[in-house]
Each structure stands twice: as C-alpha cells, then as structure tokens.
Amino acid sequence: MIPENNRLQRIFFIFIGLILTCRTFGMDICDKVDEDKNYIDLVNPFVDSHRSRWFFFSSACRPFGMVSLSPDTDTEHSWRSGYLYGSKQIRCFSHVHNWQMSGVAVMPTVGEFKGHLGMNAYQSAFTHDGEIAKPGYHKVRLTDYDITAELTSTMRVGFHCYTFPKSDSSYILFDTGAFLAHGPTAYSEVWKVSDKEIAGWEIMERTGRRPKDTPVYFYAQLSKPMDEIVSWREGWLEPDSNPERISGKNAGMAVRFKTRNDEKVMLKVAISYVSVEQARKNMLAELPGWDFEQVKQASFSEWNDWLGRIEVEGGSREQQIKLYTDLWHALLGRHVVSDADGHYMDMTSDFPRIRQIPLGEDGKPLYNHHNFDAWWGSHWSLNILWSMAYPEVMDNFCNTMIDMYQNGGLIPRGPSGGNYTYVMIGDPAVSFFASAYNKGICNYDAELAYEGLRKNAFVGGIRDHAGYEHSKTAHSGGMKYYEERGYVPDGRKDVEGMHITGASMTLEYAYQDWCLAQMAKTMGKLQDYEFFMKRSKNYRHLWNPESGYMQPRGIDGDWLPCFDPLELTEKGGFCESNSAIYSHYVPHDMTGLIELYGGADKYIERLNANFEKSEPYGFFRSNKTKEGNWTDYGNQPGTGMAHLFNYAGAPWLTQKWYVRSRPLIVM
C-alpha cells in the first residue's frame, strides 16, 4: 500500500533508528513529560500538506480522535485531497478524515444563500496571513465572507468558533449530502431538534476497499438560537412549508442568524457510528459547556503529553521540528470509532450490529476501537514506536482485532468503520501481535488472538483473501498452493481482487510464519513453533541461483519467462515493488538470505550496487508504478534496505547511504 505520504515513510524509518540508539543521539523515552516544554510548537502541520491525502492532515484533532476536524480545500479525491496548502479555496470544515471514511461537512457563509448549489458555489477564498495550525487547533479567515473560523475538539466532538461580520444573512451550512474524498454520500437525513440543535445522519457510500455502505451520525448544538431554517435536496431549495426535516441524496440544511460585527457564534458537533442518541451522549460526556479556550488549551495539554513521551536534546530547532512533526503524524491516522460509553458498530456480518466494549470497575470502556489501514508497512517503524512509547495504543489495536475475530470470524488486516477491507496481502496483523506480545503488551485475550492468527495462516484465513477480495469464499491469496508447494504461483487464472502477485505473497507469508512462530514459542506452543519456523524457510522456493534473484514461479512450477528484476509491480509477481527490491525481503532470516547470495561479501556488493544505481533518481521514484526502481524509499517493502548492510557486517554502508539519501528525507 503506497503510504499516505512518501516522506513520512522515509523519515520515520530513520526516526525509529534514532530511537533505538537513543542514548547515542541524546534521545530518551520519558515516563514523565517535561511540563515546561511546549512540544506542540515543535510541530508544523503544514509540512507536506501541498500533496496531502484525505487522512493525512487533521489539525483540530486529539491523538487518534474520532473527530478529525480540519478545513478541506479539495474534497473529490482520496489522494491529493483534504487540506492542500497550495489551494486557493476552502470548501468546508468536515469532521471525519479517516482511511476510507469521511463525513459531516459544515460551512459558515454570509450574504446570498448558495448552499443548494454545492461547494463550488459556496466555497470561499482564504489567506495564509494570520492562519494558525497546531495540534488540536486551527484558525483561518474566509476572505469571501469576512469570517474568522477557529476549530478545536475533544475525542468525539468538534468545536467551532466563527467570528461573523455584521449581517442579516449569516448562515451555517450542514452539507450532509456532500461528496467527500472517497465517494458520494449515498443518502442523508438532517432535522431541526430545537432552536439551538440540529441532528442527522449520513451514509458513506461503499468503496472498492470498504465493501459496505457505512453510517455516521451527528448531533450539533449552537450557542445562538437560529432565526430560520433553509433546506435543499438535489440542488433545489425546499418549500418554506416543510424546511425543518430533509432527507435524500444531495440533501442539506442551513441555519440563518442575524449577527453583529465581530460576533462569535459557536458550534459543537458530536459524532457516532452507532446512532444520533449515541452522538448526543458523546457530547454530554465530553463537552457539555461552551468554553472554547478551555477546550483548546486542554487539547494542547493532551498533545504535549503524547508528544513529550519522547524527549530530544541537542540538534537544531529545525531538526526537532522535523522529528516532532512526524511523531504528530504517527499519532493521527488510526482514529477511534467507538463511543465514549463503549458502543460500536460491527459491520463484519451480513447485517450491522451494535455491540458493547467491556466496561471496567469504573464503568468506563476497557479500551477503544480503532479504524486503521493495513499493518503491511507498520512493522518497519510504527510497531516499534507504539510499543516503546504508546503501549496502551497497541492494546487498543489488539483488542479491536480480537473483537472483530469474535464478531466476524477473522482477525482483520485493515478494518474501516467496522468493515473487513482485505487491504493489500497476507496477514500483517501477526507481526503486530507478535511485536506486542513479546514485549509484554498483553492486556487482551492472547489465547484468542493466537487462535485467530493461526486460523489466518491456513486455507480459509485472511491470507486467502487477495487485495480487496471481498467474497466470503475467497481463495485468491493462494494458501492451498502455499500449504502444498511452499510457494504461491503466479499466472493463476481463477483469481479475483487486486494484488494477486504470488511471489510477494510467498515472501510475506514466510515472514509472517516466522512471526507466528515467535508468538507460539513465547506462549509455550512448541509444536506450532517448530511447524511455523519450518514454513518460514519457504522464501527459498523463489530463489533462482542462476539469476541471483527471487523470481515468480508459474502454475507448472517453472520460472516465469522473460524475467526482468525491474519489472512493473503487478506484472512481475510482486506487489507494489519488483524483484530487485523484494529479493532483499527476508527480514526474519538475513543469515540464510546472505548465504543464498554467496556470502557476506557478495551480498554487500549486490546491495551496494542497488544504491549506486538508484542514487541518480534519488532512491525512489514518485511515479505510481515504481517502474525501474533499484531501491524505493517511497513505499514498502523497500524502506529498510539501507539497514540490511548491518546484517552483512558493513554498518558503515548503512551510514553512507543514509547520509546520501538524507536531503530527500528532510522537509
């Protein structure tokens, strides 16, 4: 899966390397935060926002917040969308910037009403002059309307403060039918509850990754009574006789006020994926009052706590900003989806089901459920970070996956709104669990986790689902071949979905077998340990000694013809990569891989040649296909290649190529 931001993937691998040698570099993982240090001032949210992805930029957000509130300048694509620094218009302020999820767009306007005409009509130019973006807060001026917007949030409630000019026609739009990032809103309903309350729900239309239409509910309160309701549907204003409830496709509602010059009107929007009533309960639990400054400062304090778990000394201020900005990004993108009281929506079965997270003695949920994309790339960096500095987050993730196993029969590799997505390939959850369990992070049912992970490692498990293969009887992951032959052939005809590349599957499965073996060993399951350790050697079935590369094999067992180590991703048996890179992907048995290459000297020579050949193009190509890459620091699985010299006894080459690539890693 091409990450939301190439730079983040590259720099974070280096960042983790620094953490692992923290004493040398003046870094420490802190049990107690330095209360005098303002870490949020070391975060620059605008970094790389010129090429953002929908869930990359969430300024007015708590760590992993269910509400991920921010301005949206571009709303009609998953990529290069959300807040783009170079854009000239703000289209709305929306509350959900998740992987494969979006929702609840609002927008303040003044003057002629244009809400029913769509975002192109009511959007506003904005200026960076006076704009402020910090973790937990965003301030920006809408120049077309002379409105200053300020945003902050709790975990599940977005908090807006709009400073209006003098006008008889000041509006706040609830564009519940808006097209936001991943696709159109399938259906929505919004209604007036009282003179200060609006409520509603939206159905996020299914995507190629999230297979089911998924609801998001909201409950909103205004600090000022509305004077009038305006509603629309399919581009037409509703008659005045019935404006207070509207439903359908492309529907929405706006409230009108008279405002004095510089009058502040505040808006609170709570969300839930369960019901409007649950959204209301989330607001009552987290934000019953109207003190915007207090909530903003509380958000700053929470972010200082989370960011301050890693203390950095020395270096320039610019270097510290680079690190803490990336740390901030690492604490954003896998948002909470359960309510304050632990209710959550389960979409793993044929019909949606409302379920309850177990409560502790204090009556609070023992953990939160999260939305997240595949762990396919996180084992290079983020698994290490979370386990060291944020173990409670790993517990949350683990419990989310175990609940989904109990509910739907499989431990997921990338849930979205309670859906299975079958994103990418294999079972990267096993490396996540193994990392957590073997570090003593185990506030979950480990036996149940192992049961689900073991199921995933055979025919019928999650591995059998190729990328986005949503059928219950999926088989395109090729596990029957892996069990029988020790590899997954390419050129299979009876396949569905995407990412059906057998060579990548084989190498990923071998590594995942090793991870499962480590968990089995720690749990005393020694027979399983021996079994999966033996299977972890299956990578050898792809090694062609004549070419000196890992090569795809056909259904007949022969090497696929016309082999090219630089072949385009899907054509050559490798998922989002090629043989030149995947031939170094045996992270669990580097000793064995080096032997295949003919020893340390020959391996060093080959790996060094990859870097020499890739230096002219900067070690990664930004094109989507990754054509012609010898290294690729823009995507998995190539992000760890420079560190492989260490396993061959040449750490100075790791240093060399890190330094050479460093200009591409900085802002």
Side-chain angles (χ1 to χ4, degrees):
M1 173 178 56
I2 299 173
E4 64 268 27
N5 184 273
N6 289 338
R7 172 189 166 276
L8 179 60
Q9 182 73 33
R10 299 194 305 275
I11 194 171
F12 225 91
F13 192 85
I14 304 302
F15 168 62
I16 295 299
L18 291 174
I19 292 178
L20 294 176
T21 54
C22 60
R23 296 298 180 183
T24 303
F25 288 86
M27 304 176 64
D28 196 8
I29 306 272
C30 301
D31 294 325
K32 185 177 180 180
V33 175
D34 183 352
E35 296 179 355
D36 297 328
K37 190 167 183 178
N38 202 8
Y39 296 94
I40 62 171
D41 289 339
L42 295 172
V43 174
N44 182 358
F46 296 125
V47 169
D48 263 3
S49 62
H50 65 288
R51 56 177 182 180
S52 195
R53 189 172 174 182
W54 181 253
F55 57 89
F56 180 70
F57 185 97
S58 298
S59 48
C61 181
R62 298 292 178 102
F64 303 106
M66 176 186 281
V67 161
S68 44
L69 177 61
S70 66
D72 291 323
T73 66
D74 295 78
T75 60
E76 296 181 354
H77 306 90
S78 294
W79 298 82
R80 296 190 178 274
S81 63
Y83 179 90
L84 300 181
Y85 191 84
S87 296
K88 305 300 184 182
Q89 308 281 337
I90 286 177
R91 297 171 66 80
C92 67
F93 303 108
S94 71
H95 293 77
V96 180
H97 294 86
N98 288 8
W99 183 68
Q100 296 300 302
M101 296 172 67
S102 58
V104 196
V106 303
M107 184 68 172
T109 69
V110 169
E112 179 187 0
F113 184 78
K114 300 178 181 178
H116 61 296
L117 301 177
M119 287 185 179
N120 288 340
Y122 67 71
Q123 65 184 0
S124 172
F126 73 106
T127 175
H128 295 304
D129 293 339
E131 184 178 21
I132 300 172
K134 294 182 177 184
Y137 177 68
H138 203 125
K139 179 180 181 180
V140 66
R141 182 169 174 266
L142 305 176
T143 56
D144 286 354
Y145 303 123
D146 193 23
I147 295 172
T148 297
E150 296 179 84
L151 312 171
T152 190
S153 68
T154 65
M155 173 65 75
R156 298 171 177 88
V157 187
F159 203 177
H160 309 237
C161 181
Y162 301 134
T163 303
F164 282 93
K166 179 179 173 53
S167 176
D168 291 337
S169 301
S170 294
Y171 295 92
I172 297 177
L173 282 59
F174 295 82
D175 194 351
T176 56
F179 188 114
L180 295 175
H182 311 299
T185 302
Y187 193 90
S188 71
E189 184 172 13
V190 58
W191 60 92
K192 175 183 175 182
V193 178
S194 74
D195 288 344
K196 288 187 175 181
E197 297 170 287
I198 296 289
W201 51 272
E202 307 168 2
I203 298 293
M204 295 174 277
E205 192 168 275
R206 70 191 68 183
T207 71
R209 293 169 169 83
R210 174 175 48 77
K212 299 175 183 177
D213 293 349
T214 302
V216 57
Y217 302 88
F218 71 92
Y219 169 77
Q221 288 186 349
L222 301 153
S223 63
K224 179 183 176 77
M226 64 190 77
D227 295 328
E228 183 188 16
I229 290 282
V230 183
S231 300
W232 70 88
R233 178 170 45 209
E234 296 284 6
W236 295 93
L237 294 175
E238 282 295 289
D240 293 339
S241 61
N242 187 30
E244 296 187 354
R245 193 178 193 101
I246 191 74
S247 62
K249 196 172 179 64
N250 297 323
M253 177 179 288
V255 298
R256 185 183 64 82
F257 315 91
K258 292 181 181 179
T259 54
R260 304 181 306 276
N261 191 45
D262 292 336
E263 181 177 359
K264 296 184 183 297
V265 178
M266 290 181 285
L267 168 69
K268 300 186 295 185
V269 181
I271 67 169
S272 169
Y273 299 105
V274 174
S275 69
V276 169
E277 177 60 18
Q278 283 295 122
R280 189 186 70 85
K281 289 181 178 180
N282 287 339
M283 184 178 293
L284 290 174
E286 296 184 358
L287 190 53
W290 289 96
D291 192 335
F292 185 89
E293 186 64 23
Q294 187 276 327
V295 175
K296 182 178 77 173
Q297 293 300 325
S299 187
F300 289 166
S301 179
E302 185 172 355
W303 273 110
N304 271 326
D305 176 59
W306 283 70
L307 295 168
R309 295 194 195 183
I310 297 176
E311 176 69 26
V312 179
E313 297 178 355
S316 67
R317 181 174 176 84
E318 182 186 25
Q319 289 172 319
Q320 292 200 15
I321 289 173
K322 292 172 187 173
L323 188 145
Y324 282 106
T325 298
D326 284 310
L327 181 57
W328 172 70
H329 279 130
L331 301 175
L332 278 180
R334 293 155 181 88
H335 299 278
V336 169
V337 292
S338 54
D339 293 327
D341 63 4
H343 283 89
Y344 68 95
M345 184 65 76
D346 168 27
M347 302 285 284
T348 61
S349 304
D350 292 335
F351 303 98
R353 291 178 170 87
I354 299 171
R355 299 192 186 270
Q356 173 70 56
I357 294 169
L359 305 178
E361 294 181 357
D362 59 358
K364 297 180 180 179
L366 294 175
Y367 49 87
N368 290 318
H369 269 212
H370 287 254
N371 193 82
F372 45 86
D373 55 353
W375 303 125
W376 194 56
S378 71
H379 56 253
W380 297 114
S381 52
L382 295 176
N383 290 5
I384 302 169
L385 170 69
W386 291 323
S387 63
M388 296 176 70
Y390 310 101
E392 70 274 33
V393 173
M394 294 197 82
D395 273 327
N396 284 349
F397 292 156
C398 289
N399 277 295
T400 299
M401 290 186 281
I402 292 170
D403 282 350
M404 292 188 72
Y405 171 57
Q406 290 185 292
N407 297 339
L410 293 173
I411 287 181
R413 60 174 181 246
S416 178
N419 289 253
Y420 289 121
T421 66
Y422 310 108
V423 57
M424 303 312 300
I425 60 174
D427 182 25
V430 70
S431 60
F432 188 93
F433 272 101
S435 177
Y437 190 78
N438 282 283
K439 292 170 182 169
I441 302 169
C442 48
N443 292 317
Y444 49 84
D445 189 331
E447 289 291 339
L448 195 58
Y450 185 83
E451 176 186 297
L453 293 168
R454 195 182 193 282
K455 178 181 178 180
N456 279 355
F458 294 95
V459 171
I462 202 79
R463 295 189 193 182
D464 245 357
H465 291 260
Y468 317 117
E469 186 185 13
H470 300 299
S471 170
K472 288 185 177 181
T473 57
H475 60 272
S476 299
M479 281 303 296
K480 70 175 183 179
Y481 298 101
Y482 187 78
E483 289 189 44
E484 294 170 358
R485 305 183 184 187
Y487 66 91
V488 181
D490 282 279
R492 294 166 289 146
K493 304 299 183 183
D494 57 336
V495 292
E496 303 174 9
M498 298 171 57
H499 306 312
I500 54 176
T501 48
S504 283
M505 288 174 176
T506 302
L507 294 168
E508 297 286 346
Y509 297 170
Y511 168 59
Q512 289 157 11
D513 283 339
W514 182 87
C515 291
L516 191 54
Q518 307 314 303
M519 193 170 177
K521 183 179 182 181
T522 305
M523 298 178 73
K525 304 178 186 296
L526 299 184
Q527 187 173 353
D528 274 9
Y529 168 73
E530 296 292 340
F531 174 82
F532 287 113
M533 282 297 292
K534 182 179 180 180
R535 274 202 348 186
S536 75
K537 303 293 186 180
N538 280 344
Y539 69 88
R540 294 174 175 265
H541 293 298
L542 298 187
W543 179 256
N544 186 345
E546 293 186 6
S547 67
Y549 287 98
M550 300 288 179
Q551 289 188 214
R553 306 184 80 135
I555 200 73
D556 57 2
D558 294 337
W559 306 114
L560 289 188
C562 304
F563 170 70
D564 180 353
L566 301 181
E567 182 68 78
L568 304 184
T569 56
E570 301 291 329
K571 293 182 180 179
F574 297 95
C575 180
E576 294 189 358
S577 191
N578 58 30
S579 179
I581 293 169
Y582 252 114
S583 291
H584 298 275
Y585 185 88
V586 188
H588 60 290
D589 189 17
M590 285 301 300
T591 300
L593 179 66
I594 290 168
E595 289 176 355
L596 292 179
Y597 274 88
D601 291 343
K602 291 185 178 179
Y603 181 75
I604 292 168
E605 181 181 356
R606 282 282 302 277
L607 183 59
N608 195 61
N610 276 44
F611 279 89
E612 289 177 338
K613 293 173 182 176
S614 64
E615 188 170 21
Y617 64 77
F619 306 100
F620 84 105
R621 300 183 195 273
S622 60
N623 64 74
K624 189 174 182 179
T625 64
K626 308 293 182 177
E627 181 178 5
N629 284 357
W630 289 97
T631 67
D632 184 4
Y633 273 81
N635 197 27
Q636 313 91 333
T639 54
M641 288 183 68
H643 292 72
L644 299 180
F645 290 107
N646 293 321
Y647 293 93
W652 57 89
L653 288 174
T654 294
Q655 296 292 327
K656 171 185 175 179
W657 291 115
Y658 161 65
V659 172
R660 294 275 180 95
S661 63
R662 193 171 180 180
L664 299 167
I665 297 171
V666 300
M667 308 183 204

